[in-house]
Amino acid sequence: MQFSSTETYVASPDLALAVNAAVTLERPLLVKGEPGTGKTELARQVAASLGLPIIEWNVKSTTRAQQGLYEYDAVSRLRDSQLGEARVHDIANYIRKGKLWQAFEADGKVVLLIDEIDKADIEFPNDLLQELDRMEFHVYETGETIMARHRPVVIITSNNEKELPDAFLRRCFFHYIRFPDAETLKRIVAVHHPGLKPRLLDEALTQFLELREAPGLKKKPSTSEFLDWLKLILAEDLSPEDLKRPAGEMLPRLHGALLKNEQDVALFERLAFMARRQR
């Protein structure tokens, strides 16, 4: 089972190597990087490339590790007992299977995505250590032990919003998705916007990279935002000349697709003002 770039996803050689190493070692792959660099999409493309189904667990700030295993619905059981329902005698009727349980009991190998693990409480990763390591867990209400029929390919993403515990990191194969260079960006654009005229791409790419390199930027625009910007440029049928900024202007056309907060917009407005004063 070897992963490489697909028709819709450009994977750098070191990223493909990391995925294949994690699969070989049977370790979870922990992927970090800026938001919008394709971490979540990576898991989907790995599943497509390897011909495996994918199970996605999207973590939120309120998510608990136990929810990934199972949840016992005691309230429903109490209600059914009051109504005299026959199903109340089998506690298994009130066990809701989580994403890990679904991955463990799958008939074949699957890709399990644990998306944005750093959103949850700091104890969340530690609470999954044993289950991800041993590939089994115990259901206390029924007394059964759920063991993985086939060890899933586990891909865990993080936006680096908080540090993850050392004990958790030791059990993972780690890869940081660096922001792509200009040539890789062109390959990515070719996948999403084939046939884009080279002059238009060169002008857009130059302005985009200049924008990212501006000092003091609170949120640098990501790859996905660059693709959205290009989509707008194509929809407006803009030419390379249309994209060129008038003298003294710093903000690119349709900059709302790239700059997502007022501080960054104000920063470029100040830079433009200072440039005009120096002329």
Side-chain angles (χ1 to χ4, degrees), residues 116-128:
E116 297 189 335
I117 194 171
D118 53 326
K119 278 187 176 180
D121 185 84
I122 189 62
E123 292 303 321
F124 181 93
N126 279 335
D127 291 342
L128 289 177

Side-chain angles (χ1 to χ4, degrees), residues 176-187:
Y176 184 86
I177 298 183
R178 300 185 184 280
F179 190 80
D181 58 24
E183 289 305 313
T184 305
L185 277 173
K186 287 183 178 181
R187 290 172 58 203

Side-chain angles (χ1 to χ4, degrees), residues 2 8 15 17 23-24 31 40 52 60-61 64 75 80 122 133 139-140 160 184-185 202 219-220 247 260 267-268 279:
Q2 289 289 309
T8 57
L15 176 56
L17 180 64
V23 172
T24 300
V31 183
T40 302
L52 301 176
K60 301 178 181 179
S61 60
R64 295 176 293 107
V75 175
D80 287 349
I122 189 62
D133 201 26
V139 183
Y140 296 98
N160 241 357
T184 305
L185 277 173
D202 287 342
K219 181 194 176 302
K220 294 183 178 182
K260 298 302 177 70
L267 169 66
F268 279 91
R279 291 182 62 187

Side-chain angles (χ1 to χ4, degrees), residues 32-52:
K32 291 186 178 184
E34 294 179 28
T37 50
K39 300 184 297 297
T40 302
E41 186 61 25
L42 169 67
R44 297 167 183 157
Q45 294 299 325
V46 168
S49 176
L50 302 182
L52 301 176

Side-chain angles (χ1 to χ4, degrees), residues 9-279:
Y9 191 88
V10 176
S12 62
D14 58 338
L15 176 56
L17 180 64
V19 172
N20 293 320
V23 172
T24 300
L25 294 173
E26 295 188 327
R27 294 274 188 178
L29 174 63
L30 174 61
V31 183
K32 291 186 178 184
E34 294 179 28
T37 50
K39 300 184 297 297
T40 302
E41 186 61 25
L42 169 67
R44 297 167 183 157
Q45 294 299 325
V46 168
S49 176
L50 302 182
L52 301 176
I54 184 170
I55 295 175
E56 298 188 24
W57 185 12
N58 299 302
V59 177
K60 301 178 181 179
S61 60
T62 56
T63 303
R64 295 176 293 107
Q66 180 65 32
Q67 293 172 309
L69 307 179
Y70 70 93
E71 290 184 281
Y72 169 51
D73 191 352
V75 175
S76 292
R77 193 181 188 203
L78 175 62
R79 184 179 61 248
D80 287 349
S81 68
Q82 293 171 338
L83 296 174
E85 297 282 351
R87 67 194 299 267
V88 76
H89 300 293
D90 185 359
I91 198 170
N93 290 324
Y94 304 93
I95 300 294
R96 297 178 180 174
K97 299 176 181 178
K99 299 295 185 180
L100 264 73
W101 191 329
Q102 294 172 31
F104 286 5
E105 73 172 3
D107 293 331
K109 203 174 189 70
V110 302
V111 172
L112 172 63
L113 168 63
I114 305 177
D115 199 24
E116 297 189 335
I117 194 171
D118 53 326
K119 278 187 176 180
D121 185 84
I122 189 62
E123 292 303 321
F124 181 93
N126 279 335
D127 291 342
L128 289 177
L129 284 179
Q130 180 171 310
E131 288 76 14
L132 291 176
D133 201 26
R134 298 184 181 179
M135 285 288 147
E136 66 178 43
F137 63 90
H138 187 70
V139 183
Y140 296 98
E141 288 78 4
T142 63
E144 61 183 323
T145 298
I146 306 300
M147 301 180 64
R149 297 179 185 176
H150 306 273
R151 194 177 189 98
V153 176
V154 181
I155 297 178
I156 303 169
T157 72
S158 169
N159 286 328
N160 241 357
E161 291 182 5
K162 62 170 67 87
E163 290 295 323
L164 298 174
D166 288 344
F168 180 79
L169 295 174
R170 283 199 303 271
R171 288 166 169 81
C172 298
F173 192 93
F174 171 76
H175 183 76
Y176 184 86
I177 298 183
R178 300 185 184 280
F179 190 80
D181 58 24
E183 289 305 313
T184 305
L185 277 173
K186 287 183 178 181
R187 290 172 58 203
I188 294 171
V189 170
V191 167
H192 294 271
H193 301 294
L196 188 67
K197 294 179 179 179
R199 284 186 59 237
L200 181 61
L201 174 57
D202 287 342
E203 180 62 33
L205 187 57
T206 298
Q207 291 194 28
F208 173 70
L209 293 177
E210 286 177 353
L211 198 70
R212 274 187 57 88
E213 292 167 4
L217 204 60
K218 184 176 180 182
K219 181 194 176 302
K220 294 183 178 182
S222 67
T223 308
S224 63
E225 287 159 339
F226 179 51
L227 294 173
D228 286 345
W229 187 48
L230 287 176
K231 186 176 181 180
L232 284 175
I233 289 171
L234 291 171
E236 294 291 327
D237 196 24
L238 300 180
S239 68
E241 288 70 27
D242 294 328
L243 283 187
K244 290 185 183 298
R245 290 164 292 192
E249 288 293 327
M250 302 293 290
L251 286 169
R253 294 282 296 271
L254 304 167
H255 62 267
L258 300 173
L259 299 177
K260 298 302 177 70
N261 61 69
E262 63 277 14
Q263 294 97 319
D264 288 341
V265 173
L267 169 66
F268 279 91
E269 289 174 344
R270 287 196 303 272
L271 291 174
F273 177 74
M274 291 171 62
R276 286 194 294 267
R277 287 189 62 182
Q278 293 173 357
R279 291 182 62 187

